Amino acid sequence: MTKILVVDDESSIVTLLQFNIEKAGFDVVTAEDGRTGYELALAEKPDLIVLDLMLPEMDGIEVCKQLRQDKVETPILMLTAKDDELDKIIGLELGADDYLTKPFSPREVVARIKAILRRSAGKSAEVEPEVAPKEKALHVGDLKILTESYEVYLQDEQLDLTPKEFELLLYLANHRGKVFSRDQLLDAVWNYDYIGETRIVDVHVSHLRDKIEADTKKPQYIKTIRGFGYKMENVKS
């Protein structure tokens, strides 16, 4: 059974989430402080972590940071307060896959969990590589994207991308030359409607540019189309 780790210091929220997530058919492990949550993430090896930002012992950002440093790639859904925009951005940059603002409905949490698990399992129909069936690599300029092993190389040096950065890069690479609005990218890559949350796209594009562009002020691969959104250039090797 798919295992979900819920880490939140509010007992009422933990109980509510546990009930609804188990009702959806998942096994649930819980923790009410960051240190315990971190230890359970290592010991229980959950398939996904629902992680609150404001936690005793060890806050959610530090838990996320430590897990990624430990090479734990378990998808993380962060829970944040409305005024924690900076923390949301930091969390995403540290490797969180998604975030949800409090207050939220349990049904939305379950929907987000299912969407993230579908993406992490590579089942999203929106991210199919437009390459020949036997070809395992997609080339854009000096970038080589291995679509089956989820690896990216720049001039033969492997890049350290989060799962969401990889999916965004792959989607843009599969549609080189096409301009996408932020809302279109949210719908395609995040796999559900993220009305009004286009900042999440900007954060991931910025982080991708830091890793693949020689000059982020004059990007070669991912271009900003003023007033529209983003596109990936069909860069030649």
Side-chain angles (χ1 to χ4, degrees):
M1 184 180 292
T2 302
K3 185 184 297 183
I4 309 297
L5 171 60
V6 175
V7 188
D8 197 298
D9 64 333
E10 295 184 53
S11 298
S12 59
I13 291 180
V14 171
T15 300
L16 181 66
L17 290 178
Q18 182 172 9
F19 174 79
N20 283 275
I21 294 171
E22 287 180 342
K23 186 178 178 181
F26 301 106
D27 187 20
V28 178
V29 180
T30 67
E32 294 190 9
D33 68 79
R35 176 63 61 183
T36 302
Y38 169 71
E39 292 172 353
L40 284 175
L42 297 178
E44 295 287 337
K45 302 187 186 309
D47 298 283
L48 183 142
I49 302 169
V50 179
L51 179 65
D52 189 29
L53 271 179
M54 302 300 293
L55 293 168
E57 303 294 333
M58 190 182 203
D59 67 31
I61 288 178
E62 185 62 25
V63 173
C64 181
K65 179 180 178 182
Q66 289 296 323
L67 289 174
R68 294 311 186 226
Q69 287 180 349
D70 293 339
K71 305 300 182 184
V72 176
E73 297 300 330
T74 305
I76 295 174
L77 170 61
M78 277 194 158
L79 304 179
T80 75
K82 280 188 174 181
D83 57 354
D84 287 337
E85 182 176 1
L86 179 60
D87 287 339
K88 293 174 189 175
I89 294 170
I90 293 172
L92 291 169
E93 290 186 339
L94 288 174
D97 296 81
D98 199 357
Y99 68 85
L100 189 59
T101 301
K102 295 180 179 181
F104 50 76
S105 72
R107 290 179 61 186
E108 184 174 9
V109 174
V110 172
R112 298 277 182 107
I113 288 171
K114 290 179 177 179
I116 295 170
L117 290 173
R118 283 197 302 270
R119 295 195 302 269
S120 65
K123 294 179 181 178
S124 173
E126 298 293 338
V127 195
E128 295 179 356
E130 296 179 354
V131 295
K134 294 183 180 180
E135 187 175 358
K136 297 181 180 180
L138 181 63
H139 296 271
V140 183
D142 291 326
L143 284 173
K144 180 171 70 173
I145 305 171
L146 301 182
T147 59
E148 294 182 3
S149 59
Y150 294 87
E151 295 177 356
V152 178
Y153 293 83
L154 178 62
Q155 295 181 338
D156 296 324
E157 179 179 349
Q158 186 172 0
L159 303 180
D160 183 18
L161 302 187
T162 67
K164 190 54 56 197
E165 289 167 359
F166 177 87
E167 291 179 23
L168 177 58
L169 178 65
L170 180 59
Y171 188 80
L172 289 170
N174 278 332
H175 301 85
R176 294 185 296 282
K178 183 175 180 179
V179 179
F180 291 97
S181 70
R182 291 167 177 82
D183 286 326
Q184 286 175 319
L185 290 172
L186 283 172
D187 185 57
V189 179
W190 277 258
N191 205 27
Y192 51 83
D193 204 353
Y194 236 115
I195 297 174
E197 298 289 353
T198 56
R199 176 63 174 160
I200 194 173
V201 176
D202 297 330
V203 169
H204 281 76
V205 168
S206 176
H207 214 44
L208 268 177
R209 282 173 171 165
D210 287 338
K211 297 178 180 181
I212 69 174
E213 302 285 3
D215 184 352
T216 57
K217 294 182 179 180
K218 297 180 180 179
Q220 179 184 14
Y221 291 99
I222 302 177
K223 300 278 187 153
T224 299
I225 308 301
R226 188 175 181 85
F228 291 95
Y230 298 104
K231 76 170 180 176
M232 173 165 277
E233 294 283 16
N234 192 16
V235 180
K236 301 298 183 181
S237 301

